[in-house]
Amino acid sequence: MAIKKKPVVKNAALVKVIDTSLANLGTATTNGAKALALATKKSKQSSAEGKRLNKKRVTLIKRQLTAKAKANKDPVAANKNALKAVDKELAAIRKAVAKNKVVNSANFAELSGLRVSCRRLTAYGKALAAADRVLNKPKKKARRRKTS
């Protein structure tokens, strides 16, 4: 049985593969940076919304305490309705806070993964740039010896 020999790769094909790989690395680096910037922006917006919702929740809890005290002190229909309205609004805010927590955790997972990937891409790019600098140094000219 004859074993088929693998063809030897030509220099032009090898140079082409190297160039496309470097171009792909550069593209991946720029795409990663864009994705990281977008995810960071999204995360900041979500975090700001969470802070706003939490602040509103705290004020509603305080308002609920005063409404309960008023309703207990003077159980008029107006006071009871005010308490119901505050409870309803507080329930809606709590639901929104819960949704925001889920979104924040998903954003955090995505953002941490993107950061790791971008760090790797940057490190690979720097290593390849350093290797290119070493490989592309001009050859030193041989000094002529002094003849005496």
Side-chain angles (χ1 to χ4, degrees):
M1 222 198 274
I3 298 175
K4 230 181 189 181
K5 284 189 176 180
K6 290 185 180 179
V8 179
V9 178
K10 301 287 182 189
N11 182 41
L14 200 56
V15 168
K16 184 179 178 186
V17 168
I18 291 170
D19 289 342
T20 56
S21 297
L22 288 173
N24 288 343
L25 182 69
T27 306
T29 304
T30 56
N31 289 346
K34 286 178 187 175
L36 184 63
L38 190 68
T40 304
K41 183 180 177 185
K42 200 176 187 183
S43 178
K44 284 182 181 177
Q45 285 175 345
S46 181
S47 180
E49 184 182 352
K51 285 179 184 175
R52 183 183 59 79
L53 287 171
N54 210 28
K55 198 173 186 182
K56 193 168 186 178
R57 186 184 64 84
V58 168
T59 56
L60 283 173
I61 288 172
K62 288 177 184 174
R63 194 180 304 163
Q64 184 186 36
L65 287 173
T66 56
K68 274 184 186 175
K70 252 186 191 176
N72 287 339
K73 190 176 183 182
D74 188 18
V76 182
N79 289 344
K80 288 182 181 179
N81 288 341
L83 179 61
K84 283 181 186 176
V86 170
D87 286 341
K88 200 174 194 179
E89 195 175 350
L90 187 60
I93 290 293
R94 283 188 173 143
K95 195 181 276 187
V97 166
K99 280 184 186 177
N100 187 265
K101 277 187 181 180
V102 171
V103 170
N104 273 349
S105 62
N107 284 348
F108 179 77
E110 179 68 17
L111 195 58
S112 59
L114 280 171
R115 282 187 181 132
V116 169
S117 298
C118 282
R119 267 191 236 120
R120 283 180 62 196
L121 286 168
T122 305
Y124 293 146
K126 284 180 181 176
L128 289 174
D132 275 347
R133 275 196 302 274
V134 169
L135 292 172
N136 294 330
K137 276 187 180 175
K139 290 184 179 177
K140 289 185 179 178
K141 294 180 182 176
R143 287 186 181 175
R144 279 178 44 195
R145 289 187 177 173
K146 289 183 182 179
T147 54
S148 52

